[in-house]
PDB file of all heavy atoms in Angstrom:
ATOM      1  N   ASP A  49     -18.146   0.215   3.647  1.00  0.00           N
ATOM      2  CA  ASP A  49     -19.368   0.640   4.290  1.00  0.00           C
ATOM      3  C   ASP A  49     -19.059   1.755   5.287  1.00  0.00           C
ATOM      4  O   ASP A  49     -17.953   1.882   5.787  1.00  0.00           O
ATOM      5  CB  ASP A  49     -20.004  -0.538   5.026  1.00  0.00           C
ATOM      6  CG  ASP A  49     -18.928  -1.416   5.670  1.00  0.00           C
ATOM      7  OD1 ASP A  49     -18.085  -0.883   6.430  1.00  0.00           O
ATOM      8  OD2 ASP A  49     -18.909  -2.602   5.386  1.00  0.00           O
ATOM      9  N   LEU A  50     -20.049   2.563   5.553  1.00  0.00           N
ATOM     10  CA  LEU A  50     -19.960   3.557   6.601  1.00  0.00           C
ATOM     11  C   LEU A  50     -19.004   4.691   6.271  1.00  0.00           C
ATOM     12  O   LEU A  50     -18.325   5.230   7.152  1.00  0.00           O
ATOM     13  CB  LEU A  50     -19.510   2.917   7.920  1.00  0.00           C
ATOM     14  CG  LEU A  50     -20.542   2.941   9.049  1.00  0.00           C
ATOM     15  CD1 LEU A  50     -20.323   1.758   9.976  1.00  0.00           C
ATOM     16  CD2 LEU A  50     -20.452   4.250   9.805  1.00  0.00           C
ATOM     17  N   GLY A  51     -18.943   5.031   5.002  1.00  0.00           N
ATOM     18  CA  GLY A  51     -18.153   6.185   4.647  1.00  0.00           C
ATOM     19  C   GLY A  51     -16.654   5.977   4.720  1.00  0.00           C
ATOM     20  O   GLY A  51     -15.889   6.886   4.430  1.00  0.00           O
ATOM     21  N   HIS A  52     -16.249   4.793   5.121  1.00  0.00           N
ATOM     22  CA  HIS A  52     -14.816   4.519   5.120  1.00  0.00           C
ATOM     23  C   HIS A  52     -14.334   4.339   3.694  1.00  0.00           C
ATOM     24  O   HIS A  52     -14.753   3.437   2.990  1.00  0.00           O
ATOM     25  CB  HIS A  52     -14.506   3.260   5.935  1.00  0.00           C
ATOM     26  CG  HIS A  52     -13.935   3.571   7.264  1.00  0.00           C
ATOM     27  ND1 HIS A  52     -13.997   2.710   8.328  1.00  0.00           N
ATOM     28  CD2 HIS A  52     -13.264   4.640   7.707  1.00  0.00           C
ATOM     29  CE1 HIS A  52     -13.406   3.238   9.370  1.00  0.00           C
ATOM     30  NE2 HIS A  52     -12.957   4.403   9.027  1.00  0.00           N
ATOM     31  N   ARG A  53     -13.418   5.214   3.310  1.00  0.00           N
ATOM     32  CA  ARG A  53     -12.915   5.218   1.947  1.00  0.00           C
ATOM     33  C   ARG A  53     -11.440   4.929   1.938  1.00  0.00           C
ATOM     34  O   ARG A  53     -10.731   5.232   2.884  1.00  0.00           O
ATOM     35  CB  ARG A  53     -13.102   6.620   1.355  1.00  0.00           C
ATOM     36  CG  ARG A  53     -14.286   6.795   0.506  1.00  0.00           C
ATOM     37  CD  ARG A  53     -14.312   8.160  -0.127  1.00  0.00           C
ATOM     38  NE  ARG A  53     -13.364   9.103   0.464  1.00  0.00           N
ATOM     39  CZ  ARG A  53     -13.214  10.342   0.028  1.00  0.00           C
ATOM     40  NH1 ARG A  53     -13.966  10.780  -0.952  1.00  0.00           N
ATOM     41  NH2 ARG A  53     -12.347  11.157   0.589  1.00  0.00           N
ATOM     42  N   GLN A  54     -10.976   4.367   0.845  1.00  0.00           N
ATOM     43  CA  GLN A  54      -9.542   4.255   0.652  1.00  0.00           C
ATOM     44  C   GLN A  54      -9.250   4.729  -0.753  1.00  0.00           C
ATOM     45  O   GLN A  54      -9.788   4.198  -1.720  1.00  0.00           O
ATOM     46  CB  GLN A  54      -9.111   2.801   0.852  1.00  0.00           C
ATOM     47  CG  GLN A  54      -7.758   2.467   0.281  1.00  0.00           C
ATOM     48  CD  GLN A  54      -6.643   3.088   1.082  1.00  0.00           C
ATOM     49  OE1 GLN A  54      -6.878   3.792   2.055  1.00  0.00           O
ATOM     50  NE2 GLN A  54      -5.419   2.848   0.668  1.00  0.00           N
ATOM     51  N   ILE A  55      -8.425   5.752  -0.865  1.00  0.00           N
ATOM     52  CA  ILE A  55      -8.099   6.273  -2.183  1.00  0.00           C
ATOM     53  C   ILE A  55      -6.799   5.652  -2.659  1.00  0.00           C
ATOM     54  O   ILE A  55      -5.776   5.736  -1.978  1.00  0.00           O
ATOM     55  CB  ILE A  55      -7.995   7.814  -2.148  1.00  0.00           C
ATOM     56  CG1 ILE A  55      -9.386   8.394  -1.860  1.00  0.00           C
ATOM     57  CG2 ILE A  55      -7.459   8.342  -3.467  1.00  0.00           C
ATOM     58  CD1 ILE A  55      -9.421   9.894  -1.813  1.00  0.00           C
ATOM     59  N   LEU A  56      -6.854   5.018  -3.803  1.00  0.00           N
ATOM     60  CA  LEU A  56      -5.681   4.290  -4.302  1.00  0.00           C
ATOM     61  C   LEU A  56      -4.774   5.187  -5.110  1.00  0.00           C
ATOM     62  O   LEU A  56      -3.564   4.997  -5.121  1.00  0.00           O
ATOM     63  CB  LEU A  56      -6.126   3.109  -5.163  1.00  0.00           C
ATOM     64  CG  LEU A  56      -7.102   2.138  -4.498  1.00  0.00           C
ATOM     65  CD1 LEU A  56      -7.426   1.002  -5.449  1.00  0.00           C
ATOM     66  CD2 LEU A  56      -6.512   1.608  -3.214  1.00  0.00           C
ATOM     67  N   ALA A  57      -5.354   6.134  -5.813  1.00  0.00           N
ATOM     68  CA  ALA A  57      -4.521   6.984  -6.654  1.00  0.00           C
ATOM     69  C   ALA A  57      -5.256   8.260  -7.012  1.00  0.00           C
ATOM     70  O   ALA A  57      -6.480   8.272  -7.146  1.00  0.00           O
ATOM     71  CB  ALA A  57      -4.131   6.243  -7.935  1.00  0.00           C
ATOM     72  N   PHE A  58      -4.486   9.337  -7.119  1.00  0.00           N
ATOM     73  CA  PHE A  58      -4.989  10.559  -7.719  1.00  0.00           C
ATOM     74  C   PHE A  58      -4.468  10.624  -9.147  1.00  0.00           C
ATOM     75  O   PHE A  58      -3.267  10.436  -9.381  1.00  0.00           O
ATOM     76  CB  PHE A  58      -4.497  11.786  -6.946  1.00  0.00           C
ATOM     77  CG  PHE A  58      -5.116  11.947  -5.595  1.00  0.00           C
ATOM     78  CD1 PHE A  58      -4.337  11.961  -4.454  1.00  0.00           C
ATOM     79  CD2 PHE A  58      -6.486  12.106  -5.460  1.00  0.00           C
ATOM     80  CE1 PHE A  58      -4.906  12.109  -3.205  1.00  0.00           C
ATOM     81  CE2 PHE A  58      -7.066  12.257  -4.209  1.00  0.00           C
ATOM     82  CZ  PHE A  58      -6.268  12.263  -3.080  1.00  0.00           C
ATOM     83  N   CYS A  59      -5.364  10.880 -10.087  1.00  0.00           N
ATOM     84  CA  CYS A  59      -4.944  10.999 -11.479  1.00  0.00           C
ATOM     85  C   CYS A  59      -4.973  12.470 -11.875  1.00  0.00           C
ATOM     86  O   CYS A  59      -6.019  13.119 -11.802  1.00  0.00           O
ATOM     87  CB  CYS A  59      -5.862  10.184 -12.383  1.00  0.00           C
ATOM     88  SG  CYS A  59      -5.836   8.431 -12.017  1.00  0.00           S
TER      89      CYS A  59
END
Side-chain angles (χ1 to χ4, degrees):
Chain A
D49 38 54
L50 245 152
H52 256 157
R53 262 185 346 178
Q54 162 72 359
I55 293 181
L56 305 182
F58 289 120
C59 298

